[in-house]
Amino acid sequence: MTLAMGFLGIAFIVLTFAFIAWEQRSRLIQRDVDDIRNNAFFLADHAARLLEVTDVTLRQTAALMEDESWYTVSPSRSLWEQIRAVKQALPFIEDIWLNDAQGKLRLTTAAFPTPESSALDRDAFQAQMDTDQGLFVGEPIIGRVTNAPTFMVSRRLQYPNGTFRGVVSVTVSLTYLNDYWARLRLPRGTRVSLIRASDGKIIAQHPMELGNISFAPIDKDAFDRAISENFEAGLYTAVSDGRERLGAYHRIGQLPLHVRVSIPADSYWRPWIDQIRIYGSFALFALIALLALMAVAAHQFQEQAATAALLEREVALRTSELRTETAALEVLNRTGRALAAELEFGKIAQHVIDAGVELTGAQIGAFFYHVDEHAQTSDSARPAPMPYAISGELQAKFADIAMVQHTSVFAPTLVEGEIVRSDDITTDPRFGPAERRRDVPDWHPLLRSYLAVPVVSRTGAIEGALLFGHEKLGVFTARAERLVIGLAGQAAITLENSNLYKAAQHEIEERKQAQAQQSLLIRELHHRVKNTLATVQAVVGATARSTSSIEDFYAAFVGRIISLANTHSLLTEAIWQTASLREILEKELSPYNDDTGERIIIDGPPVELPSEAAVPIGMAIHELTTNAAKYGALSIAAGHVIVRWESAIEPGGLRLKLTWSEEGGPSVEPPKRQGFGSRLLHRVLATQLNAAVQMDFEPSGLKVSIDVLLRPGGFVNPSA
């Protein structure tokens, strides 16, 4: 009976204090609800008054510059002092801003003269461009001029005809709002937010980090549901940062803005516990002591048993993990030593894939490297097999693994560099169950577990991939993935070292070839110098025979030597290979052209003359030009010279047909004696180049035709 009464008494005490505790909890919750409702109303009213004053400030600023143009606004110090006086009277306003229709900052209280800035990308500016939004509150920003956290409140400026003129705006200090809200007596854990209803954007929040516009997010879906039921004010619960919060909101005037005051849903807990401790400390002392003693005894017994079992399991687990890690370390060390001494790709791949199979416990492993997706076999449209290494107990069954290397299972790793680990590849939503039917023959084992890690070089290039499979489900763990990632990194470094070694060998070979080329060029230079000296000797003799005085000899000889030097300059620029026919003609004839550019006409496809042909042809053109300047079409202002040529590929080389025509000059008669130019054209060109030369001394002007076959290697195909 005593025991029964004791239990009844304990039950009565427990039930009584449970009822009192429940009532206290309900009262505290109601108090919190009333607090956040009242604070939401008060803060919304305060924000409405601030925005009303802001609206008056914007209208007043717009009125001050209504009769001004943007060109008079920017330099106006008096206007700047007026709006600065308006701003200084309002502590919550940081600055006033005037931007034209292109977003350019025209005037601001932040500085004078106006600094360079633009608000074209600010939402407070963008919203006013198409239509008048009235008073619009923009999202929080870091000011470009002030470098301070703030948000813009804007009004549209427009011309009398209603077209967009620009925006007048103010920036409101987030620090001011935070400091003001901090001075209020708010419940512990309270969070105050100024929210834009249209998109749920947080404009300001307390508490906030100084100099930061990153705020704690709100549950936008819960907020949207609440304002859809009652846009003006209401109460709702939401989850933020993984914690349930109770929030009250109130609309700010007639604007699409709300002030939301929220507290943790369990904010009543601490005061409730404090009250329960006070009210029940004496009545529950005995019960708590009894229960505590019983709990302590039971807990100690259970704790001792659990501790012993836990220690035993921990020792076994740690021992097993140590053995596993030791074995893995031995594999990695052995593989590292093997890779350090290896430069051949195939052997590197085999070492790596053997180690990967041993570390992961895979039944099959493959290492694809140097992927070439465009390589094709000669007898099929199927991609050609890539170099690879294969290992594992199913190696024989996957000997033709190249036939499935381009499946969609491999693509994320081989192409995109993605790490893939799947416990069951046949049901993985990333690939789908049809993969087996589409790409793999029926006689192949059905792999379920799959692990793929890319081999990525230091430059970010995908060198290949390590691929592992197993017939059982869930074989590959996160630990196996980490080990394979490390192995792939080791493989990437070794492959890069191999590439560097091959590149170095290639560079050595290229240097040897360059030295051989240099020796060849030196021998060619010796040959060209001898030919040049022979040409000069011939020019001296021919010039001496065709002139009657030292002065004539000097003038003719210098001109021919200059022509020879010009041709050699073109050859030297091309390293004694070719000279452009057009450039030779332009160097000789361009000094005689007029402002209209019509006195000299040069027309023909691109032709590169070999060095053997460039010297005689260049000197022939020089003689024709000199003759035309002295006696022919270039000797009078009305004359002009037309040079045209055509070329065609023939089996023996490039056939060049060049025509020199003079028009508008003095009447022409055949010469009574053959000069140097005629001998050069008929003898030198015919002897050295086997060219056919025809000269027609027509009364209207000299006509010269040259037909020559240029040997291969010294010209470009005009149709190429």
Side-chain angles (χ1 to χ4, degrees), residues 307-319:
T307 300
L310 179 62
L311 287 175
E312 186 177 351
R313 289 194 301 270
E314 281 293 320
V315 170
L317 178 62
R318 297 305 177 193
T319 302

Side-chain angles (χ1 to χ4, degrees), residues 136 243 288 334 401 407 432 440 519 533 543 607 629 631:
F136 184 86
R243 188 178 183 186
I288 293 173
R334 183 179 70 245
I401 195 171
T407 65
V440 182
S519 300
L533 293 175
T543 305
V607 172
Y631 314 110

Side-chain angles (χ1 to χ4, degrees), residues 498-661:
S498 177
N499 287 329
L500 289 173
Y501 175 76
K502 292 180 179 179
Q505 295 298 317
H506 180 69
E507 183 177 355
I508 292 171
E509 186 63 29
E510 285 185 343
R511 289 186 178 182
K512 291 180 179 178
Q513 294 178 1
Q515 291 174 354
Q517 179 69 13
Q518 186 178 17
S519 300
L520 178 62
L521 289 176
I522 291 173
R523 292 195 299 272
E524 177 70 10
L525 178 60
H526 291 165
H527 175 68
R528 296 304 175 193
V529 169
K530 292 179 181 179
N531 287 348
T532 301
L533 293 175
T535 302
V536 171
Q537 184 179 3
V539 168
V540 171
T543 305
R545 288 191 295 271
S546 62
T547 56
S548 58
S549 67
I550 294 298
E551 289 78 9
D552 293 341
F553 171 81
Y554 177 77
F557 180 71
V558 168
R560 288 160 185 162
I561 292 300
I562 291 174
S563 173
L564 181 63
N566 289 336
T567 303
H568 276 255
S569 295
L570 294 175
L571 288 171
T572 304
E573 291 174 0
I575 318 179
W576 286 94
Q577 298 300 318
T578 61
S580 169
L581 175 60
R582 180 177 293 276
E583 290 187 17
I584 292 174
L585 288 165
E586 288 178 348
K587 279 183 177 290
E588 291 291 344
L589 293 171
S590 58
Y592 301 99
N593 211 346
D594 55 13
D595 295 337
T596 64
E598 297 179 354
R599 193 179 188 196
I600 304 298
I601 298 176
I602 300 174
D603 182 30
V607 172
E608 295 292 325
L609 300 175
S611 59
E612 293 80 3
V615 173
I617 290 177
M619 295 194 67
I621 291 171
H622 172 73
E623 292 303 321
L624 290 172
T625 304
T626 304
N627 182 73
K630 286 183 177 181
Y631 314 110
L634 299 181
S635 64
I636 62 174
H640 56 274
V641 173
I642 302 172
V643 184
R644 287 192 170 92
W645 70 90
E646 59 185 21
S647 61
I649 299 295
E650 294 186 0
L654 179 71
R655 175 67 63 181
L656 173 65
K657 295 181 179 180
L658 184 144
T659 303
W660 173 287
S661 302

Side-chain angles (χ1 to χ4, degrees), residues 366-371 386-389 401 405 410 414 463-465 467:
F367 184 175
F368 292 157
Y369 56 94
H370 285 298
V371 180
M386 296 176 294
Y388 69 90
I401 195 171
Q405 63 187 340
F410 297 171
L414 288 169
E463 297 290 341
L467 312 169

Side-chain angles (χ1 to χ4, degrees), residues 1-7:
M1 181 63 70
T2 303
L3 184 61
M5 292 297 294
F7 278 112

Side-chain angles (χ1 to χ4, degrees), residues 68-77 79-80 98 100 104-108 111-114:
E68 302 279 346
S69 71
W70 287 122
Y71 298 102
T72 59
V73 167
S74 294
S76 176
R77 188 173 186 88
L79 180 59
W80 177 76
L98 288 168
D100 62 17
K104 182 178 180 181
L105 180 61
R106 292 292 190 169
L107 194 65
T108 176
F112 188 89
T114 305

